[in-house]
Every structure is written in C-alpha cells, then in structure tokens.
Amino acid sequence: GLDFWDDMYGFDFSHLKDMAVEDGRVENVDSSRVITSKCMLDEYDIMTLSNEDLEKRRDFSLEVLSNSDFAAFLLSFDVEFSANCQTDVSFSTGAETEETHWKQTVLLLDSHFVVNVKVGDEIIGNIGIKSNEVKSRELDICASWEVVRESKVISTCKQKFRIK
C-alpha cells in the first residue's frame, strides 16, 4: 500500500499518493503475488508495426485464482524472434518466468478502487494505451473494468495511468 505517505518521519505527505498511483512502477514482482490469470492484450509483427496499431483499446478478461485484495494491474510482454533467424529466440518478462532487466510494470489502483476478490470472480474491461502527446517516450493508459462475482457486478472502475 501507499499508507507510508501518511507519516514520513512525522510529516504528512498523503497528497503525494495520487501522483504515486498514477505512475506505473517498473519492478520484479514475485509470482506468488499474482492473483489472476494472464491475458494477452495484443500481438504485433515488429516488421509491420505502426503507431496506429498501438493506439487502440483492447478488451481483457482475468479470472481470479486466489482470494485477496485486487490492488494493481501487472503488465509484461513476451517476445519471439523467428523470421530470418538461424535459431529462434524467445523470452517472457512475466512474473512467472526468470527475471529479465525489463521486469514488469505495476499499475497501482487508487485506494478507493481496491476490492477484495474471491476465487472464480472475473475482472473484465478494456485498456487504451497511447504515446503521451508532450513526452513521446511516455505512455498514457486508461483502463476501465468491472469485477464480476456470480454474474453480478460488484465494482466498476476507470483509472488513468502513465508509464515514464
């Protein structure tokens, strides 16, 4: 959590929580902390990839595999180099694989969006990713999702994030 901002050496920095939540954090996440299934958002051929390919909304559906608080999205990518290669090369940056220097990106949820989920719940939504208009190397992300339990929506959320 981000409660440490409430009292840092006797000072109240709680107003910084919003900034801390908006920015994606790049770190290695232990796979035991992952509470949902994985979902591939998209697949690209780097030889034909365009900016338009990247800037579209993608639907996702995650199955909850562990009773816990749903407090963040975890982004990673898989790579396969096979065209015109003598030897195919592939790797994953997912939490369930050997660590790479790319790590994973953690998108923390605003505290009022954190919800306790149970095995069998679904997290269904969509996510949009685009280059920041001012800083082209940064990504702006907007995610909308619902948490569904036994065919009933128990939480509906929308949040913006930034990856620097």
Side-chain angles (χ1 to χ4, degrees):
L2 297 173
D3 292 337
F4 63 87
W5 288 110
D6 294 338
D7 182 12
M8 291 195 61
Y9 306 103
F11 294 96
D12 179 3
F13 286 100
S14 59
H15 60 282
L16 296 177
K17 284 183 185 179
D18 289 340
M19 289 180 2
V21 167
E22 182 179 274
D23 289 344
R25 298 167 45 172
V26 176
E27 59 185 74
N28 282 311
V29 175
D30 188 285
S31 62
S32 67
R33 294 177 52 203
V34 177
I35 63 167
T36 69
S37 59
K38 286 179 75 168
C39 174
M40 182 168 66
L41 293 175
D42 218 333
E43 186 171 17
Y44 304 108
D45 179 342
I46 200 159
M47 301 302 286
T48 60
L49 183 65
S50 69
N51 283 339
E52 292 77 29
D53 293 331
L54 297 173
E55 297 187 358
K56 63 182 178 181
R57 295 200 71 79
R58 297 152 184 88
D59 293 330
F60 63 86
S61 178
L62 304 169
E63 178 186 355
V64 176
L65 305 173
S66 177
N67 297 338
S68 187
D69 284 339
F70 171 57
F73 286 104
L74 183 65
L75 304 179
S76 63
F77 61 90
D78 298 342
V79 176
E80 180 181 306
F81 299 99
S82 57
N84 302 320
C85 296
Q86 290 181 353
T87 305
D88 292 351
V89 176
S90 63
F91 65 89
S92 175
T93 63
E96 74 286 355
T97 63
E98 187 175 328
E99 290 182 5
T100 70
H101 73 276
W102 282 289
K103 305 178 183 179
Q104 298 90 42
T105 300
V106 178
L107 304 177
L108 294 173
L109 305 186
D110 284 327
S111 60
H112 56 282
F113 292 152
V114 174
V115 62
N116 188 268
V117 293
K118 299 185 183 310
V119 172
D121 289 354
E122 289 183 283
I123 301 165
I124 302 168
N126 62 65
I127 188 167
I129 303 172
K130 66 177 190 162
S131 294
N132 181 279
E133 292 179 7
V134 177
K135 297 179 180 178
S136 62
R137 293 184 56 91
E138 294 183 4
L139 297 175
D140 292 331
I141 299 172
C142 183
S144 301
W145 67 95
E146 297 176 335
V147 178
V148 179
R149 178 175 297 147
E150 298 174 359
S151 302
K152 295 180 183 162
V153 175
I154 63 168
S155 177
T156 301
C157 308
K158 182 176 184 178
Q159 184 173 337
K160 292 182 179 182
F161 306 94
R162 176 167 295 142
I163 299 176
K164 294 181 178 180

